[in-house]
Amino acid sequence: MLLYLCEQMIGHTDTLTQADKAIGDGDHGIGMARGFEAVRLKLEGGSFAALDELFKAAGMALITSVGGASGIIFGTWFRGGTKNLAGAATLDSPALSAWLVDGLAAVKERGKTKPGDKTMVDALEPAAAAAEQAAAAPLDEALAAATEAARLGMEATKDMVASMGRAKTLGERSLGHPDPGAVSTYLILRSLWEYTEKSGE
Ligand code: ADP
Ligand code: MG
């Protein structure tokens, strides 16, 4: 599932570049591609006894390879999300919920971000809430709900004026464009959901 995620995020480089060109410096696509290529290499080169080790390794790969704000932010999501996953053997709906809820808390703490700042938090927060609500449902349903919530959260960032990161210097001119990190957050969840659809899990 994570290898599929890497492949998809690398494939979305242009989308993310365009999103960041509109309100930032245009490096988000290249940064995420570099990050998920590093994750892919890490996963292919290692073996992981449990879910938390896997996500921690992915998070460290993002932190050390992406550069820019988003390496720390997305790496913190992957790594910080493992807080309550010690020894978990499979990604089921409760594990998804824990990963998103704890990952969100870690990102907010690290990034000093609150909802409405026009960051990836505006997509991750509704996704975490949706996954928490769907924790008793099958994984594909929980991922579908989290993906749709992230999509709506990402869409809502178009109506926000950036107050964090590079886009804040644009002020009102960031209106009408989604936050690039929110687009990535939606694409990450959508890729995980797509994988469950394809694999029938
Ligand atoms: P940079 O801003 O260094 O150019 P990127 O373009 O790769 O980095 O990533 C920008 C994205 O990172 C933003 O769209 C936003 O979603 C996210 N981001 C930046 N700073 C923060 C923060 N403090 N908290 C949460 N997300 C952030
Ligand atoms: Mg950028």
Side-chain angles (χ1 to χ4, degrees), residues 54-144:
L54 189 62
F55 278 116
K56 264 184 210 154
M60 274 316 289
L62 292 173
I63 289 171
T64 54
S65 68
V66 176
S70 58
I72 311 275
I73 294 299
F74 284 85
T76 297
W77 165 10
F78 276 69
R79 208 165 64 145
T82 63
K83 191 175 160 196
N84 289 300
L85 292 181
T90 50
L91 181 66
D92 53 14
S93 298
L96 174 73
S97 169
W99 179 56
L100 295 179
V101 169
D102 292 330
L104 169 70
V107 166
K108 282 163 97 174
E109 158 129 28
R110 188 79 176 78
K112 306 276 173 266
T113 324
K114 50 185 191 330
D117 284 340
K118 193 175 179 110
T119 70
M120 59 81 82
V121 165
D122 294 305
L124 187 57
E125 184 150 88
E132 204 172 16
Q133 276 208 328
L139 181 62
D140 60 336
E141 283 177 31
L143 275 168

Side-chain angles (χ1 to χ4, degrees), residues 34-60:
R34 191 164 53 227
F36 281 96
E37 177 61 19
V39 173
R40 192 181 68 77
L41 289 173
K42 188 81 142 260
L43 299 191
E44 285 179 347
S47 76
F48 304 90
L51 200 57
D52 58 321
E53 288 180 25
L54 189 62
F55 278 116
K56 264 184 210 154
M60 274 316 289

